[in-house]
Amino acid sequence: MIRKLKWKFIAVTMALVSLVLLIVFLLLVFSYYQNAAQDSMEAMRGALMRAPGTDLPKLEIGGKRPQAHASMIPVFTVGTDRDWNILWMSTENQNIEITEEVLEEAVAAVSQSGKQSGILSGFSLRYLYEQSPEGYRIAFADRTAEMESLGSLIRLSLLVGLIGLAAFFSSACSWRNGCWGP
């Protein structure tokens, strides 16, 4: 009878601890994702503010980052006419390569989305566009590093959570406490 009660107590306690850990880790992952998305949006806004062909602001090592480009996320901009035909593309002196076919598909996906900003998951790109006198200016930010970091954070959170639960379970139900004995 007492052994059954111990197991129920341990099961309820483990469930509550698991719930608390899950909530903490979900908040951590959500917070990271929001910050990464905000960094991408700032980088794209900065790219849209600069004229095509201008250099990225220089980052001073150990100094403050320029406000117009808060992070060094790979960003490129595209100018189109009012019918979404590509007029120019600027990689802002970053080492970015994109084929014409992929660029045309990405611009077509933006034009069909009906949203001023969003994610093109098939291309691992985030986009932001604004209307210009000639047509549209679109900024694209690469999400590859963002998604890899998010995946690493999720894996690390799962590992820490499992180790924490195992440690909690082993301390809650040790051989001395009689959980395994008669």
Side-chain angles (χ1 to χ4, degrees):
M1 177 77 169
I2 290 180
R3 206 168 110 202
K4 234 182 191 182
L5 186 60
K6 280 183 184 179
W7 277 111
K8 284 183 182 180
F9 176 74
I10 290 171
V12 168
T13 305
M14 290 293 291
L16 290 174
V17 169
S18 297
L19 181 64
V20 169
L21 283 175
L22 179 66
I23 290 170
V24 167
F25 290 141
L26 286 176
L27 287 173
L28 180 69
V29 168
F30 178 75
S31 174
Y32 173 81
Y33 181 78
Q34 290 295 85
N35 286 337
Q38 185 177 4
D39 286 349
S40 289
M41 293 302 285
E42 285 180 29
M44 290 185 300
R45 282 188 194 102
L48 288 176
M49 288 185 344
R50 286 186 298 281
T54 58
D55 291 344
L56 283 173
K58 301 295 180 206
L59 291 179
E60 178 185 336
I61 302 299
K64 257 187 144 178
R65 291 181 176 233
Q67 200 165 16
H69 206 310
S71 60
M72 298 307 296
I73 296 168
V75 174
F76 62 95
T77 53
V78 176
T80 70
D81 60 17
R82 294 200 182 275
D83 295 325
W84 297 91
N85 298 312
I86 299 171
L87 302 174
W88 54 266
M89 182 183 98
S90 173
T91 60
E92 301 181 355
N93 297 328
Q94 294 188 27
N95 192 15
I96 296 173
E97 289 187 32
I98 185 166
T99 65
E100 210 171 303
E101 179 183 332
V102 170
L103 183 62
E104 288 173 0
E105 288 176 21
V107 169
V110 169
S111 71
Q112 294 169 359
S113 73
K115 297 178 183 176
Q116 190 173 2
S117 65
I119 294 173
L120 303 176
S121 54
F123 300 100
S124 191
L125 293 172
R126 189 180 304 277
Y127 71 88
L128 172 69
Y129 77 85
E130 64 183 18
Q131 198 159 2
S132 70
E134 309 87 43
Y136 302 96
R137 291 181 57 180
I138 311 164
F140 292 97
D142 182 38
R143 297 181 64 224
T144 305
E146 173 187 331
M147 297 312 293
E148 287 172 357
S149 294
L150 186 63
S152 294
L153 179 62
I154 290 170
R155 285 188 297 279
L156 180 63
S157 295
L158 287 172
L159 179 65
V160 168
L162 290 174
I163 290 171
L165 286 174
F168 181 78
F169 181 74
S170 68
S171 70
C173 187
S174 65
W175 287 100
R176 287 182 313 201
N177 290 339
C179 291
W180 306 109

